[in-house]
Amino acid sequence: TGLENARGLRKLFLDGNRISTISGLEGCKMLEELNVDNQKLPENTELTFAPSTIATLSGNLTTLSVTGCNISSASVFCSLSELQSLNCSHNKIKSAKEIVEVLRELKELKKANFGANPVCKTTKYRETMLVNCNNRLSTLDGKEIDHRQRDALIRFAQHRMNKKKHMKAQREENNSNYSQHNRQPLAQNQQRRY
């Protein structure tokens, strides 16, 4: 790639090219910002990252922008532990579970943008993300996070979870009592008639 010896490189802008795999950055151990937006890829081709490049970037990369690159999975970003800003908008991500994983794993993340992905149309998308994100996240999909609202959503989610646990325990207890009642032997005057 010609970047093998760019050891001091801190920012790299590769927007608007035809790159399908981000690789060859193993020598760029100081890279803090990577922008690879709007790659001109065929419809069914998505931008991917070589595992060795992700491993190298995981130590220093703080800003990553991959908008409009046909990306269908966000889980590859979970190992970028120093990431503070991730723009992954206008892609093809459908899994809320993957985004939740990214928002939980990336403890330094302050800004995340997954806007204009199919997942954003799912019911209670924003609420789900706010309940599951790290405490440092201040902006999601271009909108500021109201931490009072986030705290209220977390309390409500915990209340619902506790209520479900209580109802499950109650059902189990009722089932246990019912099966114990059915196991008791019949009294002499209640013997079965055949």
Side-chain angles (χ1 to χ4, degrees):
T1 62
L3 294 171
E4 294 85 6
N5 297 321
R7 303 211 184 280
L9 187 66
R10 295 195 183 275
K11 295 184 179 187
L12 182 58
F13 294 83
L14 299 170
D15 301 343
N17 287 291
R18 286 183 168 83
I19 300 169
S20 61
T21 302
I22 303 298
S23 62
L25 299 179
E26 291 78 7
C28 303
K29 296 185 187 300
M30 309 261 313
L31 192 64
E32 295 173 354
E33 182 174 346
L34 177 60
N35 294 276
V36 290
D37 297 329
N38 302 310
Q39 295 303 309
K40 297 170 185 163
L41 301 172
E43 184 65 29
N44 294 327
T45 303
E46 69 180 275
L47 180 71
T48 60
F49 287 78
S52 56
T53 294
I54 286 287
T56 300
L57 298 177
S58 67
N60 283 358
L61 196 68
T62 59
T63 302
L64 176 62
S65 189
V66 290
T67 65
C69 293
N70 296 336
I71 294 172
S72 63
S73 174
S75 60
V76 68
F77 306 123
C78 285
S79 61
L80 299 174
S81 59
E82 299 302 313
L83 211 56
Q84 296 175 18
S85 176
L86 173 61
N87 188 347
C88 195
S89 62
H90 295 89
N91 280 292
K92 296 182 178 182
I93 300 169
K94 296 178 182 175
S95 172
K97 184 177 180 182
E98 284 184 5
I99 294 178
V100 164
E101 182 183 7
V102 168
L103 295 178
R104 279 188 182 157
E105 291 294 318
L106 299 180
K107 306 294 186 206
E108 302 299 319
L109 197 61
K110 296 175 185 172
K111 293 182 180 181
N113 190 346
F114 294 97
N117 276 284
V119 69
C120 296
K121 296 177 183 174
T122 59
T123 305
K124 298 193 185 261
Y125 159 78
R126 185 169 175 83
E127 290 84 352
T128 301
M129 298 307 130
L130 292 179
V131 166
N132 290 288
C133 69
N134 73 57
N135 287 331
R136 289 183 178 222
L137 196 68
S138 60
T139 307
L140 177 64
D141 300 338
K143 296 178 184 172
E144 294 270 330
I145 293 173
D146 180 340
H147 287 284
R148 290 179 306 210
Q149 178 192 20
R150 181 178 179 269
D151 292 343
L153 286 169
I154 289 170
R155 283 192 306 274
F156 181 69
Q158 288 171 338
H159 171 74
R160 283 182 45 202
M161 190 178 302
N162 289 339
K163 189 174 180 179
K164 284 181 182 179
K165 284 180 184 177
H166 176 72
M167 290 175 70
K168 182 180 178 184
Q170 213 170 20
R171 276 194 309 272
E172 287 173 358
E173 183 180 325
N174 289 342
N175 288 341
S176 175
N177 289 341
Y178 176 77
S179 59
Q180 283 178 357
H181 174 73
N182 286 342
R183 280 192 229 138
Q184 292 176 351
L186 296 173
Q188 282 184 339
N189 61 354
Q190 294 179 325
Q191 289 184 348
R192 290 189 183 147
R193 296 182 183 141
Y194 295 98

